Each structure stands twice: as C-alpha cells, then as structure tokens.
Amino acid sequence: MGLFNKLLGNAGEVDSLNLNKEYASILIEAEEIEVGFSLFRDVFMFTNKRLILVDKQGLTGKKIDYLSLPYRSITRYSIETAGHFELDAELKIWISSEENPSICKKFTKSVNVYEVQKVLSTHVLK
C-alpha cells in the first residue's frame, strides 16, 4: 500500500534527522527541519524559518527545483480530514493574495493532518 499511496501522490512523514543531513546545503545558520513529508520523489519540509518544497524533475531526478516560502507569505490554509471511506487528507495553502490555493498536498491516514496544521499554525500565527 505504501508504494500505491506514493504513486497517487499521497505524502508520508520522513525522519527530520535524515532530512537535516540531506538538505543541509540549502539551510541557513540556525535553521532546522522540524518535520518533512515525502511524495514519491518530492519532499516538502517545515523548518523553524520557512516551508521548503523540493520538486525532483526528469527521469533521473537530478534536476531539482527548491521552492522556499517564508511563513509570513502564507495568508491562509485549510485542512480536509479523511472520511471513513477515503484514503487521504488534504492540506491547502494560499500565498499572498492568490484566489486559488498555491499548494495542495495529500496525506495518507498514517499522517496526523492535525499535527501538520499545528506546525503550520505555530509558524504562521506568530
């Protein structure tokens, strides 16, 4: 089921210690990854400074796009929990004054979407 969820684009949590090692080159001094999620080859991470989305492109995944979103740019967000017969929950994030969500990520039931929302709220509502 894990591979099936990844192929569908559902996120699963990744160990933040491993992410801090792997992505140390893009972090600034005193920045730490608090929690991260994997979507097949892509990753998105909540640090103590910003939200980072890593988009691995191409067949080999060697071409990588890093999107950095300061928490102050996030104007609103929503979570949609999984129902009894649904496989996933969804997080939507709006940046600045955009009409439609800039980011939509789906989570498997193994991820507590309330915890994801809590991390985001902790940083955005400062």
Side-chain angles (χ1 to χ4, degrees):
M1 189 74 156
L3 178 61
F4 182 67
N5 280 325
K6 286 183 180 184
L7 289 173
L8 289 176
N10 295 336
E13 192 167 349
V14 180
D15 180 46
S16 60
L17 198 56
N18 291 338
L19 290 175
N20 276 298
K21 288 179 190 173
E22 184 174 351
Y23 295 102
S25 62
I26 64 169
L27 301 176
I28 63 170
E29 186 177 324
E31 183 176 23
E32 300 245 345
I33 298 168
E34 296 176 347
V35 65
F37 300 92
S38 172
L39 293 153
F40 198 52
R41 294 189 313 176
D42 299 342
V43 176
F44 69 105
M45 304 168 276
F46 293 98
T47 77
N48 57 333
K49 309 275 185 195
R50 59 192 163 149
L51 175 61
I52 302 172
L53 291 100
V54 180
D55 180 13
K56 295 183 180 179
Q57 303 171 356
L59 292 173
T60 62
K62 292 198 182 240
K63 181 178 179 182
I64 302 172
D65 179 43
Y66 298 94
L67 177 62
S68 176
L69 298 170
Y71 292 117
R72 68 180 176 275
S73 299
I74 299 171
T75 56
R76 62 186 179 186
Y77 49 93
S78 71
I79 60 170
E80 182 179 307
T81 60
H84 290 291
F85 301 107
E86 296 172 356
L87 296 175
D88 55 359
E90 189 171 28
L91 169 70
K92 294 178 184 176
I93 300 174
W94 284 261
I95 305 300
S96 299
S97 60
E98 292 184 5
E99 199 173 301
N100 296 315
S102 306
I103 300 165
C104 294
K105 297 294 180 188
K106 292 186 180 207
F107 298 86
T108 62
K109 282 192 174 188
S110 67
V111 175
N112 183 344
V113 73
Y114 295 109
E115 289 299 318
V116 174
Q117 184 270 340
K118 193 179 290 186
V119 171
L120 186 56
S121 294
T122 299
H123 293 294
V124 172
L125 300 176
K126 282 185 180 178

